[in-house]
Amino acid sequence: MVSDHALGRPSRTYRKYQIFTVVALWSVYLRLGNRNGPPFARRISAFFAKYLTPWHSMVLTMLYMYLMRNFSTIVGLEPREPLAGKYNHDYFRATWVAMALDAGFWKAMWLRPKWVRDLVSMGATMYYLVCPEQADEYVRKMRSGGNVDIDHMRVSWNKGKTPYIKLMSWLVRPRYCMRRAPVRGRIERPEGSKDKEPIDFWLYYDDSPKTLKRHNKIILDIPGGGFVAMDPRCHDDKLLSWAGKSGLPVVALNYKKAPEHPFPYAVNECYQAYLQIVRTKGRCIGLSGETMPKIVVSGDSAGGNLAAALILKILHSSPSNFYDDPHRNTRLTIPLPEALIMIYPALDMNITSFMRPEDVALMNKPEYRKENKNFIRRKSEQIRRLAPKTPHGSDDDEHSPPSHSPARSDRTVRPPPEDATLPNNNGSVIAPKTNAPKALRTQVKMSSMITHIQDRVLPPELLRAMILLYIGPQDAPTFSTNYLLSPLLAPENLLARFPKVYMLCGESDPLVDDTVLFAGRLRQAKRQKWQHRVELGLEKDVPFDPKEVCEFYLIEGVSHGFLQFVSVYHPGWDYIDQCRRWMMGAFHAADLRDLEPLSEPPTPTPAPNGIEEEEEDYFTPHYRHHSRTPSGTLNPDSLSDTDDRPLELAPLKRITGDADAPKPSRRKKGKTATQRARMEYLSGRRSPVATRSEMKRIASEADLMGRRMEELTSGLWGNKLGMQEEEEGEEGDG
């Protein structure tokens, strides 16, 4: 062990022995040795003893140690803080506070009982707030060493429910936030569901249950937490603000977490909760049930993934997308929410290093390039930082079409430029010699996941662990086609039917590419649908406004999770209120739409026995019809099989070229023009989903992939400490 330490492989156990040995030897020497030190130091010690008291000696010693520790900073030898230029000042300070909290809570996470653990956690946090460098080093070593498992993740992200942190958050919370305590409730599962356990939710409403019955608008929030932690009470700042300032009921779903309930359990649970709210017209959460409520769905981080998957599951052509209305004795399709609001969502579970060429082309489209200008510029700055002294071409030159001179200038004779290539007598081209450096230009764009690989809030180690725990050991989904797992891969025939989408994300977030690319794909799908309707004479030929389809905002100098620590990052309150304004705007637009006369015939209700394809018109949704019992109700067996099976998108052919240009469709015998247009729209042939090849297991005795994944997943499941803490928290909240 000693030789290992001396040869450069330090051992923590030996380091402890070394420290204890040094302290013990000096303690014995001070007790048995001369008070004035060894012979050569006694005269100096006696001289200073005339002027310095023991208190002076102690203070001077500590001051000397402080100066030596910061000597590199004083003389300018300390390197620049690597992430200081990445974040703005307020967010950077908030990340240091979050690091101190994580280090403090991880230090005391194994103590019992709970009140002792909470006290020690706060004491350790105060120490790390005074010594932030030690907190940063401790957290960095824990994350990079593979020591973070499910228990560490839940202790870190559920710390907002600690009584002391809840008290501090309440003290700094604005007065307009809801002051009533949220109420816990349960939604029964739909009839025919395989899962019988009710769905938990928290109701945030700042008035009495009597006034709740008169509401016809609901904010349905799906909170984030990496799919593994954080119930709605960890998001109190956001939810209390929305409920208090809007006056509307906010329903926050407490869906089951992985790894105990892996994918697609949470997707099905959120879908069934939405389905029950629609079927009961809000009675399951306390509304009167007289009218169909208007719903706005929101979600942050992992909740944004589940919110987008919820919309896709509603739009998917499955038998479960109908519900029985007992008052009208008919079957209706599930209505979409009025809007979808996603805050720094995780929309792609397939982590890549470089962006695909079609994704870069989508961001650089002329109609979106102005809006994405700053985002594209920061992508191009990555190569500039690597070679700052080399000249670079401008971003506009890389994607601008070649300019053509007027016809008159073609007849003008001009001398060739100095750097032009000239033919020699043999007909070959001679390039002139020049000492000027060539411009460094690259079309390769790094993904945000690799660009922000050193992120302080969402490092790749945590993201990798979340994905592995969410998928679980049972399922091996196809990352390139499963759009319930990665909503970014949804086909365009589903994206074209999305409600209006609002997205908010930090520009330095590792997940920012998901926001920009999803907005681009959504706008592209909506534009194609608008062009089809214009060609068929169903839409006025007016300019297409992308912001009527999707609005997204990128916040400069901010990374992930900025709404989770608004107590120390005060600009977060403005972004919370921005989301509330989006919600109220969506409800206001829905009210105006109800007052307008119908400009199109309503969607026909599908007959119980199904409709023949020849009798359908352009407006009829293309659904598969399922069996019904003799009594006229839905067959439970036909519902459960579809609800609990993950969706897989068949590999689709990639379309190259300009996706916005209308393409002529092939004529088929026996089909009218409207039926051909509708089949082309619903076929999904325009979806640019990549048909990536699956990674195969290496056929060797070493089994490289098996050992690699075993190493990554061996320590993630922990010892179920997180489950015990959640059970304790639920008992306390109840």
PDB file of all heavy atoms in Angstrom, residues 274 278 292 314 323 333-337:
ATOM      1  N   TYR A 274     -54.786  11.962 -18.402  1.00  0.00           N
ATOM      2  CA  TYR A 274     -55.424  12.908 -19.331  1.00  0.00           C
ATOM      3  C   TYR A 274     -56.743  12.339 -19.852  1.00  0.00           C
ATOM      4  O   TYR A 274     -57.751  13.054 -19.961  1.00  0.00           O
ATOM      5  CB  TYR A 274     -54.466  13.197 -20.483  1.00  0.00           C
ATOM      6  CG  TYR A 274     -54.966  14.230 -21.470  1.00  0.00           C
ATOM      7  CD1 TYR A 274     -54.704  15.577 -21.284  1.00  0.00           C
ATOM      8  CD2 TYR A 274     -55.699  13.857 -22.588  1.00  0.00           C
ATOM      9  CE1 TYR A 274     -55.167  16.536 -22.176  1.00  0.00           C
ATOM     10  CE2 TYR A 274     -56.162  14.793 -23.487  1.00  0.00           C
ATOM     11  CZ  TYR A 274     -55.886  16.131 -23.284  1.00  0.00           C
ATOM     12  OH  TYR A 274     -56.356  17.069 -24.178  1.00  0.00           O
ATOM     13  N   VAL A 278     -60.599  13.927 -19.407  1.00  0.00           N
ATOM     14  CA  VAL A 278     -61.483  14.195 -20.544  1.00  0.00           C
ATOM     15  C   VAL A 278     -62.784  13.417 -20.405  1.00  0.00           C
ATOM     16  O   VAL A 278     -63.877  13.960 -20.629  1.00  0.00           O
ATOM     17  CB  VAL A 278     -60.757  13.850 -21.859  1.00  0.00           C
ATOM     18  CG1 VAL A 278     -61.727  13.883 -23.031  1.00  0.00           C
ATOM     19  CG2 VAL A 278     -59.614  14.816 -22.102  1.00  0.00           C
ATOM     20  N   MET A 292     -66.880  20.356 -21.142  1.00  0.00           N
ATOM     21  CA  MET A 292     -65.539  19.835 -21.365  1.00  0.00           C
ATOM     22  C   MET A 292     -64.512  20.917 -21.028  1.00  0.00           C
ATOM     23  O   MET A 292     -64.530  22.005 -21.595  1.00  0.00           O
ATOM     24  CB  MET A 292     -65.374  19.409 -22.826  1.00  0.00           C
ATOM     25  CG  MET A 292     -63.996  18.853 -23.142  1.00  0.00           C
ATOM     26  SD  MET A 292     -63.643  17.318 -22.255  1.00  0.00           S
ATOM     27  CE  MET A 292     -64.803  16.216 -23.086  1.00  0.00           C
ATOM     28  N   ILE A 314     -51.933  10.612 -27.973  1.00  0.00           N
ATOM     29  CA  ILE A 314     -53.300  11.025 -28.295  1.00  0.00           C
ATOM     30  C   ILE A 314     -53.520  11.002 -29.806  1.00  0.00           C
ATOM     31  O   ILE A 314     -54.566  10.566 -30.301  1.00  0.00           O
ATOM     32  CB  ILE A 314     -53.581  12.432 -27.725  1.00  0.00           C
ATOM     33  CG1 ILE A 314     -53.550  12.406 -26.196  1.00  0.00           C
ATOM     34  CG2 ILE A 314     -54.926  12.963 -28.209  1.00  0.00           C
ATOM     35  CD1 ILE A 314     -53.662  13.783 -25.562  1.00  0.00           C
ATOM     36  N   TYR A 323     -63.621   7.750 -26.602  1.00  0.00           N
ATOM     37  CA  TYR A 323     -64.229   7.590 -25.286  1.00  0.00           C
ATOM     38  C   TYR A 323     -65.733   7.745 -25.432  1.00  0.00           C
ATOM     39  O   TYR A 323     -66.231   8.408 -26.352  1.00  0.00           O
ATOM     40  CB  TYR A 323     -63.682   8.616 -24.289  1.00  0.00           C
ATOM     41  CG  TYR A 323     -64.140  10.034 -24.508  1.00  0.00           C
ATOM     42  CD1 TYR A 323     -65.205  10.562 -23.787  1.00  0.00           C
ATOM     43  CD2 TYR A 323     -63.523  10.847 -25.458  1.00  0.00           C
ATOM     44  CE1 TYR A 323     -65.634  11.862 -23.985  1.00  0.00           C
ATOM     45  CE2 TYR A 323     -63.939  12.142 -25.660  1.00  0.00           C
ATOM     46  CZ  TYR A 323     -64.989  12.648 -24.926  1.00  0.00           C
ATOM     47  OH  TYR A 323     -65.412  13.930 -25.139  1.00  0.00           O
ATOM     48  N   THR A 333     -63.737  11.420 -30.239  1.00  0.00           N
ATOM     49  CA  THR A 333     -62.278  11.354 -30.200  1.00  0.00           C
ATOM     50  C   THR A 333     -61.761  12.217 -29.062  1.00  0.00           C
ATOM     51  O   THR A 333     -62.404  13.186 -28.649  1.00  0.00           O
ATOM     52  CB  THR A 333     -61.683  11.844 -31.523  1.00  0.00           C
ATOM     53  OG1 THR A 333     -62.127  13.181 -31.765  1.00  0.00           O
ATOM     54  CG2 THR A 333     -62.096  10.951 -32.675  1.00  0.00           C
ATOM     55  N   ILE A 334     -60.579  11.890 -28.565  1.00  0.00           N
ATOM     56  CA  ILE A 334     -59.993  12.626 -27.451  1.00  0.00           C
ATOM     57  C   ILE A 334     -59.532  13.991 -27.943  1.00  0.00           C
ATOM     58  O   ILE A 334     -58.751  14.069 -28.897  1.00  0.00           O
ATOM     59  CB  ILE A 334     -58.813  11.850 -26.856  1.00  0.00           C
ATOM     60  CG1 ILE A 334     -59.287  10.489 -26.346  1.00  0.00           C
ATOM     61  CG2 ILE A 334     -58.156  12.630 -25.732  1.00  0.00           C
ATOM     62  CD1 ILE A 334     -58.187   9.619 -25.823  1.00  0.00           C
ATOM     63  N   PRO A 335     -59.989  15.070 -27.343  1.00  0.00           N
ATOM     64  CA  PRO A 335     -59.552  16.398 -27.800  1.00  0.00           C
ATOM     65  C   PRO A 335     -58.111  16.676 -27.400  1.00  0.00           C
ATOM     66  O   PRO A 335     -57.625  16.205 -26.367  1.00  0.00           O
ATOM     67  CB  PRO A 335     -60.516  17.358 -27.096  1.00  0.00           C
ATOM     68  CG  PRO A 335     -60.914  16.625 -25.854  1.00  0.00           C
ATOM     69  CD  PRO A 335     -60.940  15.161 -26.223  1.00  0.00           C
ATOM     70  N   LEU A 336     -57.445  17.449 -28.216  1.00  0.00           N
ATOM     71  CA  LEU A 336     -56.084  17.859 -27.908  1.00  0.00           C
ATOM     72  C   LEU A 336     -56.091  19.001 -26.905  1.00  0.00           C
ATOM     73  O   LEU A 336     -57.076  19.745 -26.807  1.00  0.00           O
ATOM     74  CB  LEU A 336     -55.371  18.317 -29.185  1.00  0.00           C
ATOM     75  CG  LEU A 336     -54.945  17.235 -30.166  1.00  0.00           C
ATOM     76  CD1 LEU A 336     -54.446  17.876 -31.453  1.00  0.00           C
ATOM     77  CD2 LEU A 336     -53.864  16.362 -29.565  1.00  0.00           C
ATOM     78  N   PRO A 337     -55.028  19.187 -26.165  1.00  0.00           N
ATOM     79  CA  PRO A 337     -54.942  20.373 -25.296  1.00  0.00           C
ATOM     80  C   PRO A 337     -54.838  21.643 -26.130  1.00  0.00           C
ATOM     81  O   PRO A 337     -54.528  21.613 -27.326  1.00  0.00           O
ATOM     82  CB  PRO A 337     -53.674  20.123 -24.481  1.00  0.00           C
ATOM     83  CG  PRO A 337     -52.879  19.160 -25.280  1.00  0.00           C
ATOM     84  CD  PRO A 337     -53.864  18.301 -26.015  1.00  0.00           C
TER      85      PRO A 337
END
